[in-house]
Amino acid sequence: MSKALLYDATQCIGCKQCEQACATQNNLGYDDGIAAEEYQSAHKLTAVLTRGDKFMRRLCMNCQDPSCASVCPVGALKKTAMGPVTYDASKCMGCRYCMVACPFSVPKYEWGKLFPKVQKCVMCPDRVAQGKPTACAEACPTGATKFGERDELIAEARQRIRDNPGTYVDHIYGLEEVGGTSVFLLSSVPFESFGYRTDIAKDPLPMLTYRVLSHIPDFVPLGGMLLGGVWWITHRREEVAEAEAREASEKKNGGKR
Amino acid sequence: MMARPLFRFTFWKLVFLFLMAGGVYATFIRFTQGLGASTNLNDQFPWGIWISFDVLCGVMLAAGGFTLTAAVHILNVKRLHSIIRPTILTAFLGYILVCAALMYDLGKPYNIWHPLIMRNPHSVMFEVAYCVMLYTTVLALEFSPIVLERFNLQKPLKVVRAILIPLVICGVILSTLHQSSLGTLYLIVPEKLHPFWYSPLLPAFFFLSAIAVGLAMTIFESSLSSKHFGLQLELPVLQELGRVLVVVLGVYGILRFEDLANRGALKLAFHAGYETYLFWLEILLAIILPLVLLMQRRVRSSANGLYISAVLVVLGFITNRMNVSITGFEGSTGVRYFPKWSELAVTGMIIGVGFAAFGLAVKYLPIFPKQELAVEKASESSGVAVGAVMEHAGD
């Protein structure tokens, strides 16, 4: 049911047609200058990196349990059942917590605009919903970027590593990172050499904050009761003291009345 | 005698005008050309000084409000009653200014109300947004008796007084939640934040330090107010706060170092480096120096000693917030961030407005007890000190 992308760097020829297709799909400009940029930005949602004769793609990993969607106060970012992590600019208020929180530092911002949006690869949700592959996968001439069922792509990635001993680094990037993603990467050289962090947690990060947040509904009535109780006790003492003083003075005056 | 206040008047007025001019110009750039032109923020560094100082520090510096209302109204510590109004004023102004700063930082400030209807309960930011909104309302209500008294509106005054205790309780709970949640914000970036500052205990650290700063700010502004409004300094009250401050700082310090040791980050503190220097600066200012000072009776019983200790604590925890939100990210992003002049100008203007608003409020509203105000009136009649008072009141 859930879709995913498998990028096999060993099949990539660095033609950057995925970049071109992505730009067209997202109504972004594309020219030689932008093609030369080796990083994602608000006007370039995927980038092909070149190191000698090795290539690597960078794009949003579309995590299974995305930090960005978890931290977004207005729910502008959402994980869909089909796989894409989508963004609704009309909800966004521009707090940029998604950019801070993303373990892959993917979301980018339109800093130059007066009414800026967050920009990131959203895995072509409209195309995916229509049963079509993402623009990048469709454009790829070698099949290095492959679109398909998530489970099947995982099996295929495992198969490729198994069938070609010595070709790949024994690591499907995105399978375990932050609890799994919807983009899987295979490479013949270490992922670190392309700036991918391999020290990323195996568990979804949103649990780190939700563990704390989930205590709030319990804390509020408890805290209220506790504070109210303390107030009651500290002021009760005073009332008692006052009442006693009043009684004492009444007793004194009592006989004379 | 006349020469000094006259000089002060001009100097602080100039500072204020300078801050306002810079701030207004920066505001113009921000709202006509966007964040890119007005800040040094970029894709590697999406949060800068407007979040670090204006929001994180702003909320922390306003923590005196909940700390003191809890002490006076809940714990029934009557001695502190005389300083509660200036503290609530500071907190109320603080939160208004935090909200104002957010309007600069948000990419689309006109959507600031969205969390009201678009809720994501998994988001710490959502929780902070709600708490800050609600707590600002609570502070407005806690502050309202001061205004109502001024205009002698007995009926609404009665209503507010009747609900005061539930209000205070709400305020304390809301503050506990969002003061700690500003630390929780950073729990989701274990790989990005330097181990000096990333800790599962961040919420506890933020909360404890907010209490410490709340106490320190109360000492700080009482001292400043007494100087500049010619008020009697409530020295015994401040000594009391100083003692509590020692305990809070002690607990915070022990927790902090236990946590560093448990996570194996303590050994990093002895490797020279950019982060290490700023870490020790923070620890020295926020914990070690104030503890050494305040543990001595001699320091605690002197107005200057208390004042200096309080300033150290405030500076120390400002350093802490800047470290958590800026220094701690520079390693993982590989980018150094330093604010653009316009970012500093907006922050400067906000601070200036805070000081001026405090001064005006003290002048026109019954913030300080009556017999003390008489002294203020006397100095006001000279017509010279007012300006100094306006701009230099403790915020």
Side-chain angles (χ1 to χ4, degrees):
Chain A
M1 170 69 210
S2 177
K3 306 289 182 186
L5 287 169
L6 171 63
Y7 170 77
D8 187 336
T10 65
Q11 295 180 12
C12 182
I13 54 169
C15 68
K16 303 199 178 191
Q17 291 198 34
C18 51
E19 290 186 359
Q20 168 98 59
C22 177
T24 310
Q25 172 71 27
N26 294 288
N27 299 319
L28 298 166
Y30 194 73
D31 55 33
D32 290 349
I34 294 171
E37 293 171 5
E38 286 216 327
Y39 48 88
Q40 300 159 89
S41 63
H43 61 262
K44 185 168 187 174
L45 310 188
T46 183
V48 176
L49 281 62
T50 311
R51 300 275 184 281
D53 60 345
K54 306 290 182 200
F55 305 102
M56 177 55 72
R57 265 190 82 183
R58 295 214 68 138
L59 67 162
C60 174
M61 304 297 287
N62 290 278
C63 305
Q64 291 292 87
D65 190 354
S67 291
C68 59
S70 150
V71 301
C72 181
V74 292
L77 291 148
K78 281 225 155 63
K79 175 74 178 177
T80 58
M82 293 290 279
V85 176
T86 59
Y87 170 71
D88 181 350
S90 68
K91 287 184 172 178
C92 178
M93 56 180 194
C95 72
R96 310 189 294 285
Y97 191 16
C98 50
M99 304 178 68
V100 174
C102 175
F104 306 103
S105 299
V106 165
K108 305 298 179 197
Y109 210 55
E110 297 177 334
W111 296 104
K113 294 196 179 163
L114 200 50
F115 306 109
K117 295 194 295 281
V118 168
Q119 285 278 19
K120 75 172 197 72
C121 151
V122 287
M123 224 179 121
C124 302
D126 297 341
R127 297 177 60 99
V128 171
Q130 292 164 22
K132 288 196 279 185
T134 60
C136 58
E138 194 176 72
C140 184
T142 65
T145 298
K146 189 175 173 183
F147 177 82
E149 288 293 326
R150 188 171 184 271
D151 299 341
E152 289 170 18
L153 287 180
I154 293 172
E156 184 169 343
R158 286 200 173 115
Q159 186 79 30
R160 287 190 200 176
I161 293 179
R162 212 169 27 240
D163 292 351
N164 303 283
T167 307
Y168 296 102
V169 177
D170 188 13
H171 184 175
I172 304 172
Y173 198 94
L175 182 60
E176 288 185 320
E177 277 73 17
V178 292
T181 68
S182 295
V183 174
F184 304 114
L185 311 171
L186 289 176
S187 171
S188 57
V189 292
F191 289 97
E192 291 94 333
S193 58
F194 288 99
Y196 275 98
R197 293 188 67 155
T198 47
D199 57 346
I200 282 178
K202 302 288 177 223
D203 298 316
L205 299 173
M207 272 318 288
L208 293 171
T209 43
Y210 194 63
R211 259 205 303 266
V212 179
L213 279 182
S214 58
H215 290 305
I216 291 177
D218 299 335
F219 170 81
V220 170
L222 263 181
M225 185 64 224
L226 189 70
L227 289 168
V230 171
W231 171 81
W232 190 54
I233 293 167
T234 52
H235 287 75
R236 176 73 188 149
R237 256 185 234 151
E238 211 167 87
E239 275 171 31
V240 171
E242 256 170 41
E244 277 172 355
R246 213 181 310 125
E247 252 170 46
S249 71
E250 265 169 27
K251 227 177 239 173
K252 223 191 273 171
N253 301 339
K256 291 173 189 169
R257 205 183 315 162
Chain B
M1 186 62 204
M2 285 297 282
R4 240 191 71 187
L6 197 68
F7 164 73
R8 269 232 189 99
F9 170 73
T10 334
F11 177 71
W12 286 111
K13 185 160 190 172
L14 271 179
V15 169
F16 180 70
L17 287 177
F18 173 75
L19 287 177
M20 288 305 288
V24 168
Y25 184 44
T27 304
F28 178 74
I29 297 177
R30 161 66 187 91
F31 290 107
T32 52
Q33 294 171 45
L35 285 166
S38 54
T39 68
N40 275 345
L41 299 175
N42 53 47
D43 286 337
Q44 282 75 46
F45 236 96
W47 281 358
I49 189 181
W50 288 344
I51 291 292
S52 297
F53 187 85
D54 301 21
V55 176
L56 292 185
C57 293
V59 168
M60 170 184 81
L61 295 174
F66 90 93
T67 317
L68 223 40
T69 49
V72 171
H73 294 299
I74 306 294
L75 298 176
N76 202 13
V77 186
K78 288 224 168 59
R79 291 182 301 283
L80 299 178
H81 205 278
S82 58
I83 50 173
I84 201 159
R85 286 193 164 187
T87 313
I88 288 179
L89 171 63
T90 312
F92 185 44
L93 286 175
Y95 276 84
I96 290 176
L97 295 175
V98 165
C99 296
L102 268 177
M103 300 302 282
Y104 285 81
D105 187 74
L106 289 179
K108 297 201 263 186
Y110 49 91
N111 282 347
I112 194 171
W113 56 277
H114 275 186
L116 278 174
I117 54 161
M118 301 168 189
R119 301 189 178 97
N120 177 13
H122 282 252
S123 166
V124 186
M125 186 70 82
F126 167 77
E127 191 241 314
V128 171
Y130 249 84
C131 282
V132 168
M133 202 163 54
L134 290 172
Y135 186 52
T136 309
T137 315
V138 166
L139 277 171
L141 287 170
E142 286 180 352
F143 182 74
S144 66
I146 302 172
V147 182
L148 296 174
E149 259 175 38
R150 171 73 178 73
F151 296 102
N152 201 22
L153 298 166
Q154 290 302 327
K155 258 189 195 153
L157 200 56
K158 232 183 208 163
V159 176
V160 178
R161 282 194 177 138
I163 57 164
L164 184 63
I165 296 302
L167 260 185
V168 168
I169 291 176
C170 284
V172 175
I173 288 175
L174 288 168
S175 294
T176 310
L177 288 180
H178 72 265
Q179 292 284 0
S180 58
S181 287
L182 289 176
T184 316
L185 277 180
Y186 293 91
L187 282 186
I188 204 157
V189 287
E191 284 98 3
K192 287 182 164 181
L193 189 54
H194 192 282
F196 282 151
W197 296 289
Y198 184 86
S199 157
L201 290 181
L202 267 173
F205 291 151
F206 267 59
F207 176 64
L208 276 175
S209 51
I211 294 181
V213 172
L215 296 166
M217 278 300 285
T218 309
I219 296 175
F220 173 74
E221 79 193 14
S222 297
S223 307
L224 267 192
S225 303
S226 79
K227 250 179 235 167
H228 293 278
F229 299 95
L231 302 175
Q232 187 86 45
L233 188 64
E234 313 267 351
L235 199 55
V237 175
L238 300 191
Q239 286 168 356
E240 191 86 15
L241 294 181
R243 262 193 293 269
V244 183
L245 187 52
V246 170
V247 178
V248 178
L249 285 180
V251 170
Y252 177 88
I254 290 171
L255 254 184
R256 192 77 197 277
F257 276 92
E258 280 181 353
D259 171 66
L260 283 168
N262 291 342
R263 289 185 295 108
L266 198 54
K267 57 181 184 292
L268 293 174
F270 302 100
H271 292 283
Y274 177 70
E275 280 92 357
T276 311
Y277 301 140
L278 281 162
F279 167 77
W280 281 112
L281 177 69
E282 164 196 335
I283 297 293
L284 204 67
L285 287 174
I287 307 173
I288 298 175
L289 286 179
L291 271 183
V292 168
L293 283 173
L294 285 172
M295 282 205 274
Q296 304 172 47
R297 179 190 288 271
R298 196 162 44 90
V299 175
R300 240 181 9 246
S301 51
S302 98
N304 276 335
L306 278 167
Y307 176 70
I308 290 166
S309 310
V311 169
L312 284 172
V313 171
V314 170
L315 290 178
F317 282 111
I318 287 177
T319 315
N320 168 260
R321 296 302 194 262
M322 305 297 253
N323 279 342
V324 171
S325 53
I326 293 176
T327 318
F329 281 92
E330 292 186 319
S332 67
T333 55
V335 183
R336 283 262 186 279
Y337 162 83
F338 192 82
K340 202 170 190 164
W341 73 266
S342 37
E343 291 179 85
L344 294 170
V346 167
T347 301
M349 174 176 72
I350 286 174
I351 297 171
V353 167
F355 273 69
F358 189 97
L360 286 174
V362 170
K363 192 177 160 198
Y364 291 108
L365 295 170
I367 303 291
F368 289 103
K370 275 211 178 69
Q371 67 274 23
E372 293 178 7
L373 261 182
V375 187
E376 208 263 319
K377 283 246 170 64
S379 75
E380 189 187 325
S381 64
S382 73
V384 204
V386 185
V389 152
M390 259 180 56
E391 270 87 59
H392 201 54
D395 163 58

